[in-house]
Amino acid sequence: MNEMTKLTAADFASDQEVRWCPGCGDYAILKAVQRTMPEIGADPAKTVFVSGIGCSSRFPYYMATYGFHTIHGRAPAVATGVKLANPELDVWLVTGDGDGLSIGGNHMLHLLRRNLDCQVLLFNNEIYGLTKGQYSPTSRVGTKSPSTPFGSVDRPTSPCAFALGSGGRFVARGIDTHKNLPEVLKRAHANKGASFVEIYQNCIVYNDAVFESFTEKKAAPANQIWVENGKPMLFDNGAKGLTLDRERLKLEVVEVVDGNWEAAGVIVHDETNKGVAQMLIDMPYPAFPIALGVIYCDPAPTFESAVVTQNLEAAKGKTADLNALLAKGQTWKVTPGGHPEL
């Protein structure tokens, strides 16, 4: 790409017809990603989107970049192969709560603990949409679906808790239609390593309005807290905040009078503090607000950089010789009679 070329969101939109259910939150996420691409200086020729199976996994078709639509749950494995084959590529992984946390949970864990340099966007609608509304690993207790007609008795998994527990070094949350989503995506891209972003995404057909109590415009201020590194943890238009009970090591909601958050004991967000990050992720809603934004970011060396360095060290002073490699060790030839001769 010519450095003088100024790309727009339209340059990252493919010529394929976008086919999701009308009103699906995936449309908003797609637009947010397409708007983000030129702002981070992405090059379509060096950008790859990898997906598994599910509604979200149609994503690569709609991006004018390279892409792989792989098999159920295996997007992390394919993304790892792509990045190791060409570390210069900018790899984005798109998955859903079913694809990424059920059959793909094992693969997701290893990608995160290895700290592969890529962006993981997990669309969480708390349901299996593509296969017609069965309950998923993130579905709430009591969710009625074709596979749980009397209501789910499973305790749901938390995608962000999973990511943090797997050794993820960047964990964030966003909402499909929220104006802040592009900023979260930019932060994820700026992080060198595995960036995990859970995105609350509405499934208008099988789980409509499941997040409405905290995403609806009037309810949002009192039920969302957008954390920002170095800024006090305030919500409800600054009328409330979070403080830390250091004796019990628990977060608590406090009232803020006349904007004096320091007097109220409101703590400042330190995105490198893993303990507080876990508390933010675990806050029980609706007693506490939903934590959004970059919850944890503490960079570490990436997997592919370590592999490249190791390979370069191993190759020092050696000359590539394919014939010698093939003849090395135990070899044999097949005689005319069909018997191997060692």
Side-chain angles (χ1 to χ4, degrees):
M1 181 179 69
N2 190 313
E3 291 185 2
M4 300 300 293
T5 303
K6 296 292 184 181
L7 299 180
T8 67
D11 293 307
F12 289 90
S14 75
D15 60 358
Q16 298 298 299
E17 178 188 0
V18 182
R19 299 181 63 187
W20 284 309
C21 299
C24 176
D26 289 359
Y27 285 97
I29 301 173
L30 175 64
K31 289 298 182 183
V33 171
Q34 290 172 341
R35 288 198 306 271
T36 301
M37 292 290 107
E39 294 182 16
I40 61 175
D43 182 351
K46 294 182 179 180
T47 304
V48 185
F49 279 82
V50 183
S51 67
I53 294 296
C55 296
S56 64
S57 295
R58 299 183 64 82
F59 212 89
Y61 294 107
Y62 308 138
M63 297 296 300
T65 63
Y66 287 100
F68 290 89
H69 187 179
T70 69
I71 56 179
H72 205 192
R74 271 62 178 187
V78 174
T80 301
V82 170
K83 192 68 177 181
L84 289 180
N86 187 349
E88 298 304 312
L89 293 175
D90 187 11
V91 179
W92 295 72
L93 194 159
V94 178
T95 185
D97 47 302
D99 179 63
L101 297 176
S102 56
I103 192 171
N106 176 54
H107 295 283
M108 185 69 72
L109 179 152
H110 294 304
L111 180 144
L112 293 169
R113 73 172 178 82
R114 287 169 173 155
N115 200 32
L116 186 82
D117 186 19
C118 67
Q119 295 70 239
V120 180
L121 309 184
L122 187 142
F123 299 10
N124 181 14
N125 55 21
E126 297 187 2
I127 208 76
Y128 277 103
L130 187 67
T131 50
K132 306 299 183 288
Q134 297 86 351
Y135 83 118
S136 81
T138 59
S139 294
R140 304 173 193 187
V141 173
T143 297
K144 292 185 178 182
S145 76
S147 51
T148 53
F150 304 111
S152 171
V153 296
D154 282 5
R155 288 186 299 169
T157 187
S158 164
C160 285
F162 174 87
L164 197 65
S166 297
R169 309 293 299 204
F170 181 101
V171 179
R173 276 199 191 120
I175 297 171
D176 52 9
T177 57
H178 202 284
K179 64 180 181 179
N180 288 356
L181 182 57
E183 295 305 315
V184 175
L185 298 176
K186 290 176 193 175
R187 279 295 314 276
H189 183 263
N191 176 60
K192 296 306 175 186
S195 298
F196 183 91
V197 182
E198 175 189 8
I199 304 174
Y200 291 116
Q201 176 258 322
N202 189 48
C203 175
I204 196 167
V205 176
Y206 296 110
N207 211 17
D208 190 27
V210 70
F211 305 123
E212 188 176 48
S213 64
F214 65 85
T215 59
E216 196 271 329
K217 189 174 182 179
K218 291 183 178 179
N223 293 292
Q224 297 178 15
I225 180 167
W226 285 86
V227 296
E228 186 176 350
N229 193 44
K231 299 289 182 68
M233 295 194 201
L234 298 169
F235 66 103
D236 203 4
N237 298 315
K240 296 179 181 178
L242 297 178
T243 189
L244 178 62
D245 182 332
R246 287 177 168 78
E247 289 186 5
R248 297 188 299 160
L249 291 178
K250 290 181 63 177
L251 293 175
E252 293 182 346
V253 174
V254 293
E255 301 285 337
V256 177
V257 179
D258 296 328
N260 195 344
W261 58 268
E262 291 176 301
V266 174
I267 60 174
V268 171
H269 182 44
D270 175 6
E271 64 185 18
T272 67
N273 190 321
K274 191 173 183 179
V276 173
Q278 186 70 65
M279 294 181 201
L280 288 169
I281 291 167
D282 291 342
M283 288 192 302
Y285 176 79
F288 287 78
I290 298 291
L292 299 157
V294 180
I295 298 171
Y296 180 67
C297 179
D298 189 16
T302 65
F303 178 61
E304 73 282 355
S305 63
V307 171
V308 169
T309 299
Q310 185 181 65
N311 288 344
L312 289 173
E313 288 294 323
K316 280 184 178 179
K318 298 177 182 178
T319 302
D321 187 337
L322 182 60
N323 288 328
L325 180 64
L326 293 174
K328 183 179 179 180
Q330 188 181 54
T331 62
W332 65 89
K333 63 181 179 180
V334 178
T335 63
H339 301 287
E341 181 180 299
L342 297 177

